[in-house]
Amino acid sequence: YDLVTENHTYFSSDALKVFGYTGDEMARMPEPFAVLLEPEDIPRIQENVNRLKRLGDGEINEFECRIRRGDGERRWVNSRSMIFARDAKGEARQVISATFDVTERRETEEKLIESEKLFRSYFELGLIGMAITSPTKGCLAVNDEFCKILGYERDELLEKNWAEMTHPEDLAADFANFDRVMAGEINGYRLDKRFIRKDGRIIDTTISVKCVRRANGSVDYFVALLEDITERKRAEERLRESETKY
């Protein structure tokens, strides 16, 4: 790409495949950027050209944008550019770029962002207590309902781990399941257990836990769903007592 005339001077066969045009078609384009790029990306490409002019020797500039291929398909490309030639005054004259089609990677990232937004909306909705915990049992994030169930402020919970809030008699079953997840035997579990609230009151809960693993299989973090079933348990106990009495 010539920085003075602001025109492309050469495309390899692989680059032409990325853009979906022949060499003759590219050469006849009066304004290649206007043809190749999405309109909203054109101001960004001009800013990038200005950055290219300021590159030092050996520096690499990376830029991503959307293109419209010759067949009309919209794709994402990544270009990594460096100075190829300078004029007699040492000013940057030409750059050489390696261009890659990164559409699949961008689409995956966008889907992940949407998925994270959706998860965050569920997290903050407050329909059920939710927490993200570490492999060391610490709380990394909690929602308002989780705080309400256990009677702590958010900042207080982020300094605690779930083991110290669990009723001592229920720790063994919880640890047994937790250790199986850490060992890779299972990815999650569900159980009824008692928690000790900040005010000292013991509550019955149902907790569902699922781990998220790294590429090597180790646990990155846990997502826990917590429901207070104290009233239901008390009602069941009263019903059993009533039936026994009857």
Side-chain angles (χ1 to χ4, degrees):
Y1 180 77
D2 193 289
L3 295 168
V4 177
T5 63
E6 297 193 353
N7 278 305
H8 293 91
T9 59
Y10 171 77
F11 285 93
S12 70
S13 58
D14 286 329
L16 291 173
K17 289 178 183 177
V18 171
F19 290 103
Y21 288 93
T22 66
D24 290 339
E25 288 172 330
M26 293 292 254
R28 289 196 298 268
M29 289 182 189
E31 296 183 41
F33 288 145
V35 176
L36 295 174
L37 300 185
E38 292 292 326
E40 51 266 45
D41 283 349
I42 293 177
R44 293 179 55 240
I45 196 72
Q46 190 57 56
E47 293 173 3
N48 192 60
V49 169
N50 294 333
R51 284 197 296 273
L52 292 173
K53 293 177 181 179
R54 299 191 296 269
L55 279 180
D57 291 338
E59 283 188 280
I60 295 177
N61 179 75
E62 190 168 355
F63 181 76
E64 291 191 2
C65 64
R66 294 162 296 178
I67 63 167
R68 294 175 291 180
R69 285 172 42 87
D71 57 10
E73 186 180 5
R74 266 61 171 174
R75 307 288 290 179
W76 276 95
V77 297
N78 173 290
S79 289
R80 300 175 185 177
S81 308
M82 62 187 300
I83 299 299
F84 181 67
R86 295 184 181 276
D87 61 20
K89 296 180 180 180
E91 299 293 331
R93 175 63 193 253
Q94 291 182 331
V95 293
I96 186 168
S97 303
T99 302
F100 306 88
D101 187 322
V102 294
T103 306
E104 290 184 4
R105 189 255 293 166
R106 290 290 300 222
E107 289 178 346
T108 299
E109 289 174 351
E110 289 170 2
K111 288 178 182 177
L112 179 60
I113 290 172
E114 288 303 314
S115 178
E116 289 174 344
K117 287 181 180 178
L118 185 60
F119 174 76
R120 176 56 59 179
S121 68
Y122 287 146
F123 191 84
E124 298 297 345
L125 202 55
L127 295 176
I128 193 170
M130 296 183 68
I132 298 174
T133 64
S134 70
T136 57
K137 308 179 185 67
C139 293
L140 302 176
V142 294
N143 71 355
D144 290 340
E145 183 64 15
F146 197 88
C147 297
K148 179 181 176 182
I149 291 172
L150 295 177
Y152 287 92
E153 297 294 330
R154 191 184 303 267
D155 291 344
E156 293 176 315
L157 281 173
L158 296 181
E159 294 178 357
K160 288 185 168 292
N161 64 65
W162 55 260
E164 63 185 288
M165 296 181 287
T166 300
H167 193 286
E169 294 178 6
D170 293 345
L171 274 175
D174 212 346
F175 279 155
N177 284 291
F178 179 84
D179 290 342
R180 290 185 65 197
V181 174
M182 295 300 292
E185 297 177 15
I186 56 176
N187 289 321
Y189 58 93
R190 177 187 175 92
L191 54 79
D192 289 348
K193 59 179 275 189
R194 290 165 292 179
F195 273 100
I196 302 174
R197 282 172 47 90
K198 181 181 178 180
D199 58 14
R201 184 160 57 90
I202 297 173
I203 59 171
D204 289 283
T205 71
T206 292
I207 186 167
S208 299
V209 179
K210 190 83 172 180
C211 78
V212 175
R213 298 188 183 276
R214 301 185 182 92
N216 63 6
S218 63
V219 175
D220 190 8
Y221 59 89
F222 290 87
V223 177
L225 305 182
L226 185 68
E227 183 181 4
D228 186 344
I229 60 170
T230 305
E231 290 303 318
R232 191 192 79 194
K233 293 280 284 189
R234 299 295 180 268
E236 290 173 351
E237 291 171 3
R238 289 193 295 269
L239 180 60
R240 281 195 298 271
E241 291 172 358
S242 176
E243 289 175 342
T244 301
K245 183 178 181 180
Y246 177 77

